[in-house]
Amino acid sequence: MKDFDETETFESCPISNIQKIVNGKWNMVILYFLSKETLRFGELSRKLPMVTQANLTKNLKLLESHEMIRREVYPQVPPKVEYSLTPMGEKFLPVIQELEKFANAYDQEKLEH
């Protein structure tokens, strides 16, 4: 990490560029599940039962608009739609993996106290 730079602003902060992606309450969880496997909407919905379909749809569209995930529609009846990580989303995998490690260590430390 660089030394403190008091001239740095929000606009020059590299984290501000991805804040809109990771900001949503469920975006990181969705990326985590999609890092494990390609999923259909219903499968994602079952993994996130506390998220309304409208909110899940909104979060998926946001992640798709930021090119983190892809939505693939298969021309069949009934329609089949799958979600998976894009190459940009796959570049985010090390971040997801480090967050998972931190979360596990954090949970373990909380148990010990």
Side-chain angles (χ1 to χ4, degrees):
M1 211 179 253
K2 294 183 343 184
D3 291 333
F4 179 74
D5 178 1
E6 60 185 59
T7 64
E8 190 171 43
T9 65
F10 177 80
E11 292 82 16
S12 64
C13 173
I15 299 301
S16 70
N17 293 332
I18 63 156
Q19 183 180 10
K20 58 189 170 267
I21 298 167
V22 299
N23 190 31
K25 183 174 182 179
W26 304 109
N27 290 351
M28 295 296 288
V29 178
I30 291 168
L31 289 170
Y32 170 80
F33 285 128
L34 293 179
S35 77
K36 304 296 183 190
E37 60 185 325
T38 296
L39 294 167
R40 295 177 69 176
F41 184 89
E43 293 169 323
L44 270 169
S45 188
R46 283 189 292 281
K47 291 181 178 293
L48 298 161
M50 68 295 293
V51 181
T52 65
Q53 287 192 353
N55 278 335
L56 182 55
T57 298
K58 183 178 94 176
N59 282 283
L60 290 168
K61 284 182 180 181
L62 178 76
L63 290 169
E64 186 180 10
S65 75
H66 291 298
E67 300 179 0
M68 297 297 286
I69 66 170
R70 87 173 45 88
R71 178 181 186 264
E72 186 158 355
V73 181
Y74 295 90
Q76 64 186 55
V77 177
K80 177 181 174 185
V81 179
E82 289 183 335
Y83 294 90
S84 60
L85 295 180
T86 61
M88 184 60 71
E90 289 174 1
K91 287 180 183 176
F92 198 67
L93 284 177
V95 175
I96 296 285
Q97 292 162 348
E98 288 302 314
L99 283 170
E100 182 179 13
K101 284 182 199 173
F102 176 80
N104 290 333
Y106 180 80
D107 287 345
Q108 184 61 41
E109 184 145 333
K110 280 182 20 183
L111 284 174
E112 294 170 0
H113 288 96

